Amino acid sequence: GQQLNQSPQSMFIQEGEDVSMNCTSSSIFNTWLWYKQDPGEGPVLLIALYKAGELTSNGRLTAQFGITRKDSFLNISASIPSDVGIYFCAGILTGANSKLTFGKGITLSVRP
Amino acid sequence: DVKVTQSSRYLVKRTGEKVFLECVQDMDHENMFWYRQDPGLGLRLIYFSYDVKMKEKGDIPEGYSVSREKKERFSLILESASTNQTSMYLCASSGWDRGYGYTFGSGTRLTVV
């Protein structure tokens, strides 16, 4: 099945730094979502975006739904150790009957 | 708080055993999904269901079956477990109340020996 493009597979940052993650696709999506997965747990929804151009914040997290509807980014500001985990982007294609398409995820490590 | 509950966090089964993974949601969601997660491969959809007694194959249904007799419960069945089915299994549900974003369970880490 189709997947969204997330790269690199891993990112290493220093505590206090900002980090930005991108997610791209060749197809148009109606909805973009960002999930975080802590080690040994299921993914948890961070931010949902429903309109092209929408910019939404959740604490230190900010995400945007790209104008072309083919991409989205997530920004984490002032990173802290508990930000470590896997960050997945996901989207709902037009006519997909609410089935999500996922990126492979980016594993974020934060050095104290 | 809304929940998706997976019956086991860790399971160890022998090759050839029939394995049942249970998932229950309390949000009255129509849609339920089973994924497996392996390092470097991301989340891969096994089966999904849009309604009671309905099921559709995902991307990797071979070796698996599912059952949805009640709206809140979606079971994944490994007919004859094999070592290549050792993985993290994640159940999710979705509905209009959350814009069809998934709510995931905590996962079941299955080891087949």
Side-chain angles (χ1 to χ4, degrees), chain B residues 21-75:
Chain B
L21 302 183
E22 306 286 347
C23 176
V24 177
Q25 50 98 1
D26 64 0
M27 297 165 280
D28 199 36
H29 282 167
E30 310 86 46
N31 310 318
M32 296 189 75
F33 306 84
W34 275 106
Y35 286 83
R36 65 176 283 176
Q37 182 178 23
D38 301 288
L41 296 179
L43 297 167
R44 293 184 291 168
L45 182 62
I46 305 171
Y47 267 98
F48 58 104
S49 169
Y50 289 133
D51 203 350
V52 175
K53 296 193 185 296
M54 290 184 67
K55 60 185 179 184
E56 293 194 35
K57 294 180 180 179
D59 300 318
I60 52 163
E62 295 78 19
Y64 303 94
S65 62
V66 290
S67 172
R68 193 164 181 204
E69 295 296 317
K70 293 185 178 181
K71 190 175 187 179
E72 67 270 19
R73 186 179 297 270
F74 192 35
S75 303

Side-chain angles (χ1 to χ4, degrees), chain A residues 32-100:
Chain A
W32 286 89
L33 306 111
W34 285 91
Y35 287 85
K36 182 197 177 196
Q37 184 178 26
D38 290 327
E41 298 292 331
V44 174
L45 182 65
L46 297 174
I47 291 179
L49 303 155
Y50 301 106
K51 287 171 56 176
E54 180 180 354
L55 185 71
T56 298
S57 294
N58 178 6
R60 294 179 296 105
L61 308 177
T62 302
Q64 185 158 29
F65 191 143
I67 290 292
T68 65
R69 295 166 64 193
K70 293 182 178 181
D71 65 339
S72 176
F73 78 77
L74 174 72
N75 191 71
I76 305 172
S77 63
S79 59
I80 59 177
S82 62
D83 289 335
V84 300
I86 304 175
Y87 289 81
F88 291 97
C89 63
I92 300 178
L93 284 164
T94 304
N97 277 334
S98 75
K99 185 157 61 79
L100 290 186

